[in-house]
Amino acid sequence: QRTGAYKVRGAYYKISTLSDEERNKGLITASAGNHAQGVAYAAKCYGAKAVIVMPTTTPLIKVERTQSYGAEVVLYGDVYDEACAKAYELAAEHGYTFIHPFDDLTVATGQGTIAMEVIQELPLVDYILVPIGGGGLATGVSTLAKLLKPNIKVIGVEPSGAACMKASFEKGEVTTVSPVSTIADGTAVQTPGSKIFPYVRQNLDEIITVDDDELIVAFLDMVENHKMIVENSGLLTVAALKHLDFKGKKVVSVLSGGNMDVLTMATVVQNGLMQRDRIFTVSVMLPDKPGQLAAVSSLIAKEQGNVIKLEHNVFANVNRTAGVELTALRRICRGRDRALQHDTVHLRFRIRDRNCREQSFRVRMQRITENILCRSVLYQITQIHNTDSIRNIFDYRQVMGNEQVGQVV
């Protein structure tokens, strides 16, 4: 797909229908990235000037690729709606022809060519899943799909942090949601299109939402199992498959784009590995004397783990003899227990040794207290402190906010 996303279909078709006079005025649009590249590419093909207003949060790769087609890029606002308002302002000031990314029936018609290709290649398809931001793709795909095959089901999928179309469906009118918060930047829209809303409402069978955490796991699945790079908005339809019962049905998930910057990929992959219980971070307080680091690393090695990052903070405690902090110990786990979460739990233990002297150390980790592998490591760490016995280091007697306190005797 040219420009790395479906958006070029609608942008090119729209610009092809404009008069020479409209094109010669210059073209302007607002976009989180994919429509921007589509307009820039089509404008270049027709020799027209293109100005693109993009949110300041737009991934760098989308900005650079838009500029590579010769378009002028203006960064403005935190979300699409703010960028769109700025684009209208510039259009009125300079007389540019505005190309709306989704609230335009001609643009939606171009996007609908996806449905034609799907049905041509898979005539017996039962369901088509489409991502929803402002609703242009959903309008084009659902409308044409219903015309070509009336009994087909088309389901829209939105990020739960920007579910403007679902809110509009429920109220029966175009509704604005604010604020929007999602890693699916291409579908981070506050208000769906008013022109296309009647078509979406008539032809879309259902709208479901998925959380950002589900997109992270879906990205990891696509990379590891299918060797495909799909941006977060395009992953909505993949994540949605787990919410629906399609047994015995033929289903098509529209992967709407693959324009994702490397930094975002790295972040998503790391968080995906954490959710899959393959990486965790732990922080421990150990006496500042030779052999302590070796003892901890040997315990991790014994559990088939690997240290991939390590920090040693000797200033964490005024009394260095009592303890220094070993932080950001991140290790890879191999297919063990339940998925990790992102929030951090702080564990503090008070240990009494054989000579009845008390020592304390603290452990910080990504909610791994129920992970058997991590329990084993923590258990063995206590052995470093010469404890006689451990009743149950996860039998907490007191909970204070985000810090859980237990005693080992």
Side-chain angles (χ1 to χ4, degrees):
Q1 183 74 70
R2 290 185 182 274
T3 73
Y6 77 94
K7 284 284 191 176
V8 68
R9 298 167 181 259
Y12 194 96
Y13 181 59
K14 173 66 178 180
I15 293 173
S16 72
T17 64
L18 297 177
S19 65
D20 290 338
E21 180 182 357
E22 290 173 315
R23 286 195 289 263
N24 291 336
K25 290 179 180 179
L27 309 174
I28 190 170
T29 191
S31 168
N34 290 334
H35 179 69
Q37 294 179 66
V39 170
Y41 172 79
K44 182 179 180 179
C45 292
Y46 280 94
K49 176 183 178 180
V51 178
I52 314 294
V53 184
M54 308 177 81
T56 56
T57 54
T58 302
L60 180 61
I61 187 174
K62 293 184 179 181
V63 175
E64 292 180 341
R65 286 184 178 176
T66 301
Q67 292 172 328
S68 72
Y69 293 117
E72 175 188 341
V73 173
V74 177
L75 297 177
Y76 186 87
D78 293 328
V79 295
Y80 160 77
D81 300 80
E82 295 173 0
C84 187
K86 182 65 174 179
Y88 273 122
E89 179 185 322
L90 293 175
E93 181 181 348
H94 299 284
Y96 298 139
T97 300
F98 188 82
I99 310 296
H100 202 286
F102 54 83
D103 198 19
D104 185 298
L105 296 180
T106 306
V107 171
T109 299
Q111 322 297 30
T113 58
I114 292 176
M116 179 182 67
E117 293 176 19
V118 168
I119 294 176
Q120 283 180 342
E121 295 185 23
L122 188 63
L124 298 180
V125 60
D126 298 304
Y127 288 86
I128 298 178
L129 273 61
V130 293
I132 297 181
L137 175 62
T139 298
V141 170
S142 63
T143 302
L144 184 55
K146 295 288 186 178
L147 286 173
L148 297 176
K149 190 175 182 180
N151 62 336
I152 197 173
K153 301 293 183 182
V154 183
I155 298 176
V157 190
E158 283 186 298
S160 56
C164 62
M165 188 64 78
K166 186 175 179 63
S168 299
F169 256 53
E170 292 172 349
K171 290 191 176 182
E173 60 183 9
V174 174
T175 302
T176 298
V177 295
S178 182
V180 296
S181 177
T182 176
I183 61 174
D185 57 282
T187 49
V189 178
Q190 292 180 311
T191 309
S194 57
K195 296 178 182 178
I196 62 172
F197 181 68
Y199 296 88
V200 177
R201 194 177 181 193
Q202 177 182 347
N203 297 306
L204 212 59
D205 294 282
E206 183 183 357
I207 295 179
I208 65 173
T209 61
V210 298
D211 296 332
D212 282 358
D213 285 348
E214 297 176 85
L215 299 180
I216 292 172
V217 174
F219 179 83
L220 209 58
D221 281 337
M222 294 302 295
V223 170
E224 290 191 317
N225 299 324
H226 302 283
K227 316 307 178 197
M228 295 178 63
I229 300 296
V230 183
E231 62 185 87
N232 292 322
S233 295
L235 291 168
L236 287 166
T237 57
V238 178
L241 294 173
K242 295 182 178 180
H243 292 263
L244 302 165
D245 183 11
F246 290 134
K247 186 175 181 180
K249 302 295 182 180
K250 293 179 174 59
V251 184
V252 172
S253 290
V254 176
L255 309 180
S256 57
N259 294 318
M260 195 175 194
D261 66 282
V262 176
L263 182 59
T264 300
M265 288 184 204
T267 302
V268 172
V269 167
Q270 179 171 310
N271 280 274
L273 291 173
M274 291 169 63
Q275 289 193 38
R276 288 288 179 83
D277 200 8
R278 290 157 63 179
I279 289 180
F280 72 80
T281 303
V282 61
S283 175
V284 299
M285 295 289 289
L286 299 171
D288 189 20
K289 61 182 182 181
Q292 297 300 300
L293 176 57
V296 173
S297 61
S298 64
L299 294 177
I300 293 174
K302 181 180 178 180
E303 296 296 330
Q304 299 300 306
N306 181 39
V307 178
I308 58 177
K309 185 178 179 181
L310 180 66
E311 292 181 9
H312 185 209
N313 183 12
V314 297
F315 303 108
N317 197 330
V318 176
N319 185 352
R320 293 177 58 201
T321 303
V324 294
E325 188 176 25
L326 186 66
T327 61
L329 180 62
R330 191 168 294 160
R331 59 176 293 212
I332 299 175
C333 310
R334 298 178 181 172
R336 308 289 286 272
D337 306 309
R338 300 192 331 193
L340 305 182
Q341 305 297 319
H342 301 299
D343 50 315
T344 299
V345 173
H346 295 262
L347 311 178
R348 184 175 63 206
F349 300 99
R350 188 173 297 110
I351 298 176
R352 185 177 303 152
D353 64 19
R354 293 183 177 87
N355 297 318
C356 296
R357 291 176 301 188
E358 286 194 354
Q359 296 185 48
S360 65
F361 69 94
R362 185 181 55 191
V363 178
R364 183 175 68 246
M365 63 198 80
Q366 266 81 13
R367 287 185 63 183
I368 60 174
T369 57
E370 296 184 11
N371 182 289
I372 296 174
L373 176 62
C374 304
R375 288 168 67 99
S376 175
V377 171
L378 293 178
Y379 177 91
Q380 293 177 72
I381 286 176
T382 62
Q383 305 306 298
I384 298 174
H385 293 263
N386 298 319
T387 56
D388 285 325
S389 63
I390 297 179
R391 293 174 183 169
N392 186 353
I393 65 175
F394 297 101
D395 183 15
Y396 303 111
R397 302 304 183 192
Q398 184 180 7
V399 177
M400 301 172 60
N402 198 35
E403 188 169 81
Q404 304 186 15
V405 181
Q407 182 160 339
V408 183
V409 295

